[in-house]
Amino acid sequence: MNLPLIIGLMAVKILVVLVVFLTSIAYTVLLERKVLGFIQLRYGPNRVGPWGLFQPLADAVKLIFKEDFTPPGANKVLFVMAPMIVAITAFLPMAVIPFADKVLPDSLTVYGQTLDLTVASLNRGVIADINIGLLYVFAIASLSVYGAVIGGWSSNNKYSLLGGLRLSAQMISYELAIGLSIIGVLMISGTLSLVGIVEAQKDMWFVVYQPLGFILFLIAAFAEAARTPFDLIECENELVAGYQTEYSSMKWGLFMLAEYAHVIIASALCVTLFLGGWQGPYLPPVVWFLLKTFAMVFFFIWVRGTYPRLRFDQLMKFGWKVLLPLTLANILLTGVFMIYIQR
């Protein structure tokens, strides 16, 4: 076993996935601005480069050179740490989301040495194929709320504090629903590995067996990503910009990166759990994964351009009195279905 070469290949794999992920985030922002412009009969960004394709680069340069302001009375250490926590916890789940079956052969010969690429799943279309991948995703994603709450509290601003508290209440409500909505998938697949869940859908996508679970997961994912109609944490008519009110420059940019990273991760999870992941005819597996994820991201954007924002009391009531009972009913129905087909 050539350990340095294995480490090098793993580093290259991580770098490629990270570059593609960050580029996808940048152009998801552009896509949203273009689609919302179309919905609202506007042009959207069209000045920087052909069709505005260089707009993400211009936005990055603007944020880097913008004045970095820290409000008086803020807790400077926590104020700086908050956007880092939010961004890091938004990026880490991508490590276990599979984007293809195999991207390399099982072995590779380099300078006369045969390297076993099955070690550390180097040949697989996933950075880390762990048997508790789904548990890892939810554990990491649940930590992002700490960054928002810390950012709101450390800003020494009542609007920021209220935005952070709203987010914590929203996450508690909808994390319970999103966790219960996938229990049916786990009951059918019998594994917490995201690779195993995709492989279990080779004959039939789980959206066919779990239509209610799919809808409930999607609704809860909107709330988890704090997207319209559940974007009460930055409700401008009440809280200015919520927990982000006092942030500027790249600190604010990290919050924005995290928001769109959550959209992409939620879309990729939806594809992985319910829509067959990389499974599909004719086209390469990675192309199928990207096409399905793009379709889900577009759906997130389309909803933002067409649905109004809920009131906060409606949001909480919907989470506890509608989504929670329906997720429990879905688990019960799945259990009955599994008992029936086993007879």
Side-chain angles (χ1 to χ4, degrees), residues 14 17 28 32 36 48 77 100 102-103 114 138 166 170 194 200 247 269 297:
I14 293 172
V17 172
T28 297
E32 178 166 85
L36 293 182
V48 188
V77 175
K102 286 187 178 181
V103 292
T114 300
F138 281 97
R166 276 189 173 187
Q170 184 169 320
L194 291 172
Y247 282 90
L269 269 179
V297 169

Side-chain angles (χ1 to χ4, degrees), residues 21 25 85-91 93 140-145 167 171 221-222 224-227 243 255-269 297 300:
F21 187 43
I25 293 172
I85 295 171
V86 172
I88 290 171
T89 53
F91 296 161
I140 294 296
S142 64
L143 296 177
S144 64
V145 66
L167 179 61
M171 293 300 104
F222 273 91
E224 286 288 295
R227 298 282 297 183
Y243 64 92
F255 279 125
M256 288 298 99
L257 280 176
E259 177 181 335
Y260 287 92
H262 282 305
V263 171
I264 295 174
I265 291 293
S267 300
L269 269 179
V297 169
F300 271 81

Side-chain angles (χ1 to χ4, degrees), residues 181-329:
S181 68
I182 61 169
I183 296 297
V185 169
L186 300 182
M187 292 168 68
I188 297 171
S189 64
T191 178
L192 283 167
S193 167
L194 291 172
V195 174
I197 290 173
V198 174
E199 290 175 343
Q201 300 178 69
K202 62 182 179 180
D203 297 323
M204 185 69 72
W205 294 357
F206 284 160
V207 68
V208 177
Y209 298 131
Q210 290 285 298
L212 179 59
F214 171 71
I215 294 170
L216 296 174
F217 178 87
L218 197 55
I219 294 172
F222 273 91
E224 286 288 295
R227 298 282 297 183
T228 306
F230 304 108
D231 57 339
L232 276 298
I233 58 173
E234 46 188 84
C235 187
E236 65 274 3
N237 59 328
E238 299 171 15
L239 303 178
V240 190
Y243 64 92
Q244 308 169 22
T245 299
E246 299 292 353
Y247 282 90
S248 60
S249 189
M250 276 309 296
K251 293 192 187 75
W252 182 85
L254 286 176
F255 279 125
M256 288 298 99
L257 280 176
E259 177 181 335
Y260 287 92
H262 282 305
V263 171
I264 295 174
I265 291 293
S267 300
L269 269 179
C270 196
V271 168
T272 301
L273 295 173
F274 295 97
L275 302 179
W278 68 74
Q279 309 274 7
Y282 308 119
L283 298 176
V286 67
V287 174
W288 273 115
F289 177 80
L290 292 175
L291 286 175
K292 294 175 186 178
T293 304
F294 173 81
M296 293 306 306
V297 169
F298 182 85
F299 182 71
F300 271 81
I301 296 170
W302 176 73
V303 169
R304 179 175 183 178
T306 52
Y307 277 82
R309 180 183 291 134
L310 301 176
R311 293 197 318 263
F312 194 71
D313 62 305
Q314 293 173 329
L315 177 143
M316 297 299 292
K317 181 179 179 181
F318 185 73
W320 288 106
K321 295 188 177 181
V322 179
L323 282 191
L324 183 58
L326 286 176
T327 54
L328 293 173

